Amino acid sequence: MVQAKTWVLKQHFEGFPKDTDFELKLEQLSKPKDGEVLLEAVFLSVDPYMRPYSRVRMQAGDVMIGTQVAKVIQSNNPSFPVGCHVVGQCGWRTHNVSDGSDITKVLDAWPQSVPLSHALGAIGMPGLTALYGLEEVCAIKPGETLLVNAAAGAVGSVAGQIAKLKGCKVVGSAGGDDKVAYLKELGFDQAFNYKTVSSLEEALKNASPEGYDCYFENVGGPFSSVAITQMKAFGRIAVCGGISLYNDTTPQTGPYPQLQMIFKQLKMEGFLVSRWEHKNEESLKRMLTWMQEGKLKCKEHVTVGFENMPAAFMGMLRGENIGKAIVKV
């Protein structure tokens, strides 16, 4: 018998999450049966989507949802030998028994020089989200101008770099001077701190007086209302997230974008990364090559200790991280 530590959602979040919304529990796991493997978590991910998904995908008492990089420590499944590493939808657990249906082996070509934690970031779900948002939703083209908000986060920082690789002008918005400095290191053409500018409208105009062809939306709310007015005709908006809305107890209202969308003939499309799952292996290989060539960089905000999962999650929602927020067990 193996004992797993788990973090459960003690009660649904009301407003911003609190320590008392989580509970650390122990779970007894049986030995893996035929076709099953026993996993031990190495790195766990904390991501913005967990906040809204907890309301629609979870009940009080459920183990918190989430992805991890884990090591196979016992195996009765030849597809996952002992010692290999996998990415799994195992939730906030230190150990898990899987039949293989909810795990994927880390790429065979994964180089030793690239930390395995990047399988939760730039060479994982956030990186794929950035790639598909640009290629599949925005259909971005060389010479176009892209606006990215939450641009120093796990998704936004990769989206900006991919757009630069494709020959685009990139403008990024972030919530701190240190984050703005990071965006400039990554090669963003323009970057600003939305918390300190006197006028968001003027900041967007100054960064790109001619407007924006594409907008990678991670924030929603008032930022979106202003940004939509700066779009060029036939602009495309990929709606990836709306982190400014996730902790509201009263839904935000207006302004409403319909007239701007009609007059400028804009396309706005929400998307989930899983839509293009059939492309993941090829896409991850592309991004891994970019990273090895020095064309794709990523920073991590690492919290040590499984006991600190809630603190890492809440810190990420407060914007304390630059790049990908992960927990090292």
Side-chain angles (χ1 to χ4, degrees):
M1 296 285 284
V2 172
Q3 194 173 68
K5 295 178 182 176
T6 67
W7 279 105
V8 304
L9 180 67
K10 189 175 180 182
Q11 59 199 7
H12 277 295
F13 305 124
E14 294 295 336
F16 196 88
K18 307 178 293 296
D19 287 330
T20 52
D21 294 328
F22 306 93
E23 185 175 6
L24 184 61
K25 288 191 172 183
L26 298 177
E27 184 177 83
Q28 300 296 328
L29 301 179
S30 57
K31 289 184 178 180
K33 302 172 185 174
D34 287 345
E36 294 183 335
V37 296
L38 177 62
L39 306 173
E40 183 175 70
V42 182
F43 299 102
L44 296 101
S45 183
V46 287
D47 299 283
Y49 78 84
M50 296 172 178
R51 174 62 180 87
Y53 271 52
S54 69
R55 175 64 67 176
V56 297
R57 298 280 180 91
M58 296 181 63
Q59 301 294 325
D62 288 350
V63 174
M64 278 293 297
I65 55 176
T67 309
Q68 61 179 246
V69 171
K71 184 176 182 179
V72 176
I73 58 174
Q74 291 181 31
S75 177
N76 291 319
N77 186 326
S79 297
F80 302 99
V82 170
C84 77
H85 287 88
V86 301
V87 177
Q89 301 287 337
C90 305
W92 293 13
R93 307 172 185 269
T94 57
H95 298 80
N96 190 53
V97 174
S98 170
D99 64 4
S101 63
D102 58 350
I103 59 176
T104 305
K105 279 183 71 175
V106 171
L107 289 174
D108 289 334
W110 197 278
Q112 288 190 337
S113 59
V114 177
L116 280 170
S117 53
H118 287 344
L120 299 175
I123 317 299
M125 180 275 290
L128 292 170
T129 301
L131 184 72
Y132 297 149
L134 292 177
E135 291 188 346
E136 304 292 340
V137 180
C138 286
I140 199 164
K141 301 187 239 351
E144 293 189 321
T145 300
L146 171 72
L147 171 63
V148 188
N149 53 15
V155 175
S157 59
V158 175
Q161 291 179 83
I162 293 174
K164 289 301 299 177
L165 286 173
K166 292 180 176 292
C168 299
K169 175 181 175 180
V170 180
V171 175
S173 167
D177 292 343
D178 54 343
K179 295 180 179 182
V180 169
Y182 175 57
L183 297 181
K184 291 179 178 177
E185 286 177 26
L186 293 180
F188 281 56
D189 296 280
Q190 298 286 336
F192 63 88
N193 182 348
Y194 75 90
K195 292 182 177 179
T196 57
V197 294
S198 57
S199 164
L200 178 58
E201 183 177 7
E202 289 303 314
L204 290 173
K205 283 182 179 177
N206 291 338
S208 182
E210 69 279 9
Y212 299 90
D213 301 282
C214 296
Y215 170 28
F216 199 107
E217 168 71 285
N218 292 307
V219 174
F223 189 107
S224 183
S225 298
V226 175
I228 287 173
T229 67
Q230 309 273 337
M231 297 298 294
K232 295 182 184 180
F234 303 103
R236 290 92 68 202
I237 303 168
V239 184
C240 169
I243 196 168
S244 71
L245 312 172
Y246 293 165
N247 294 302
D248 288 348
T249 53
T250 302
Q252 297 181 31
T253 59
Y256 301 103
Q258 284 80 5
L259 287 179
Q260 287 286 336
M261 295 186 70
I262 294 167
F263 295 152
K264 295 187 176 184
Q265 302 184 73
L266 304 178
K267 173 186 172 185
M268 178 187 284
E269 182 177 347
F271 71 100
L272 299 175
V273 66
S274 55
R275 192 195 311 180
W276 300 279
E277 190 173 5
H278 60 286
K279 295 188 174 187
N280 282 2
E281 185 173 356
E282 178 272 331
S283 298
L284 290 171
K285 287 178 179 177
R286 266 204 292 161
M287 291 192 292
L288 187 57
T289 298
W290 287 336
M291 181 171 283
Q292 290 178 284
E293 293 173 348
K295 298 175 181 176
L296 179 62
K297 301 171 185 176
C298 62
K299 186 174 283 192
E300 293 180 317
H301 184 93
V302 182
T303 301
V304 178
F306 183 76
E307 68 277 8
N308 294 317
M309 288 291 299
F313 175 60
M314 291 184 285
M316 176 274 304
L317 289 176
R318 280 191 290 264
E320 294 174 1
N321 57 298
I322 296 179
K324 180 72 188 82
I326 61 167
V327 174
K328 181 179 180 180
V329 177

